Amino acid sequence: TMTANEDLTIGQTVGVSNFVTGDKIARAARSNQEINMGITDASTLRYPNLMCPIGGDKFAFLSMQNSDDGLYVTVGDVDTDTLTTTLGTAVAITNDIFNDVYAYCICKLDTDKFIVLYREDASTTIIKYRIGTVSGTTITLGAAATFTTGASQVDSIASTYLSTDKAVMFYGCATPTDSKVITFTTTGTATNVVGATAAVGTTLDNNITHISIKKTDTDTFILASASGYAQVGTC
């Protein structure tokens, strides 16, 4: 609540203005917008590995549609003046997805470029990928291909951007000691996996379900579990 001719301190939040000496100082229009993402399982929004920033004021997110057991990706474009978002058309990644929000993720690769990693349901151990490029809110996907294969059933996947066309991913397995970390690079819509897989510590490989992986610096990252354990990696 403001009163006319009230002194302000830098950093204070200013509300709707008053007429002061005949001049009206108008506040910029702002709005909060509810976005209908078309997600039939709304609980998927609780998980950090299903959304990533890409170019400028854009983001990409995954949604799993129970109606056709399909995994979809959508791009949102944010107008920072009005605080509203325009969503593009959802594009199908696959119709053969393990029905668990831990078993797929999305990761930025470059401005207007991302990768989706997901466990193929028919195999339980094969991790597939598709790379997408974005123009406006329109997505063009590369062909699906095998990224890697776990030694036992893959139950969780997470990935984080490191630098242009370079990222690191984690996958957790039903047999905890089979859980691994892999650094990879991409060219166009193909991946070129670099280096060997690396095992994670015993504490983390026993807490694989709620895993987050985040860049901390150039070629360094941190793995963290909801149970309160973390491990730093370099590549």
Side-chain angles (χ1 to χ4, degrees):
T1 301
M2 302 293 297
T3 57
N5 299 314
E6 180 178 352
D7 291 332
L8 298 177
T9 301
I10 295 297
Q12 281 186 279
T13 301
V14 180
V16 177
S17 66
N18 292 297
F19 282 94
V20 180
T21 62
D23 295 322
K24 183 177 181 181
I25 305 169
R27 190 169 73 99
R30 294 284 185 258
S31 67
N32 292 320
Q33 179 192 20
E34 179 178 337
I35 302 172
N36 180 5
M37 295 182 177
I39 297 173
T40 53
D41 179 5
S43 64
T44 59
L45 294 179
R46 295 181 298 171
Y47 302 95
N49 302 316
L50 306 185
M51 186 177 295
C52 71
I54 45 175
D57 296 315
K58 295 177 186 176
F59 61 95
F61 65 90
L62 299 177
S63 58
M64 204 286 290
Q65 303 294 334
N66 291 335
S67 59
D68 62 0
D69 200 25
L71 181 65
Y72 290 79
V73 61
T74 309
V75 168
D77 191 356
V78 178
D79 185 324
T80 55
D81 287 330
T82 61
L83 300 187
T84 56
T85 301
T86 300
L87 296 181
T89 301
V91 177
I93 296 289
T94 180
N95 287 319
D96 183 21
I97 188 69
F98 179 48
N99 187 11
D100 192 318
V101 295
Y102 304 114
Y104 45 86
C105 73
I106 187 168
C107 173
K108 171 185 175 178
L109 291 174
D110 197 357
T111 301
D112 293 341
K113 185 178 180 182
F114 61 84
I115 187 170
V116 176
L117 297 150
Y118 58 95
R119 193 196 95 176
E120 187 178 53
D121 193 27
S123 68
T124 77
T125 58
I126 294 177
I127 298 173
K128 296 277 192 176
Y129 75 90
R130 295 189 76 174
I131 292 176
T133 56
V134 178
S135 176
T137 55
T138 301
I139 298 170
T140 301
L141 290 174
T146 298
F147 182 85
T148 192
T149 303
S152 59
Q153 177 174 300
V154 174
D155 289 332
S156 62
I157 304 173
S159 185
T160 191
Y161 169 87
L162 291 175
S163 58
T164 301
D165 280 329
K166 184 177 183 181
V168 60
M169 66 90 71
F170 164 86
Y171 66 89
C173 291
T175 301
T177 52
D178 292 335
S179 303
K180 304 293 182 183
V181 174
I182 305 174
T183 308
F184 64 94
T185 59
T186 68
T187 301
T189 56
T191 64
N192 302 289
V193 178
V194 294
T197 57
V200 296
T202 303
T203 303
L204 274 182
D205 67 25
N206 281 300
N207 293 277
I208 62 157
T209 305
H210 294 77
I211 286 284
S212 290
I213 183 170
K214 298 296 177 184
K215 172 182 177 178
T216 54
D217 202 349
T218 303
D219 286 342
T220 65
F221 60 91
I222 187 167
L223 279 165
S225 71
S227 53
Y229 295 95
Q231 186 173 7
V232 174
T234 60
C235 55

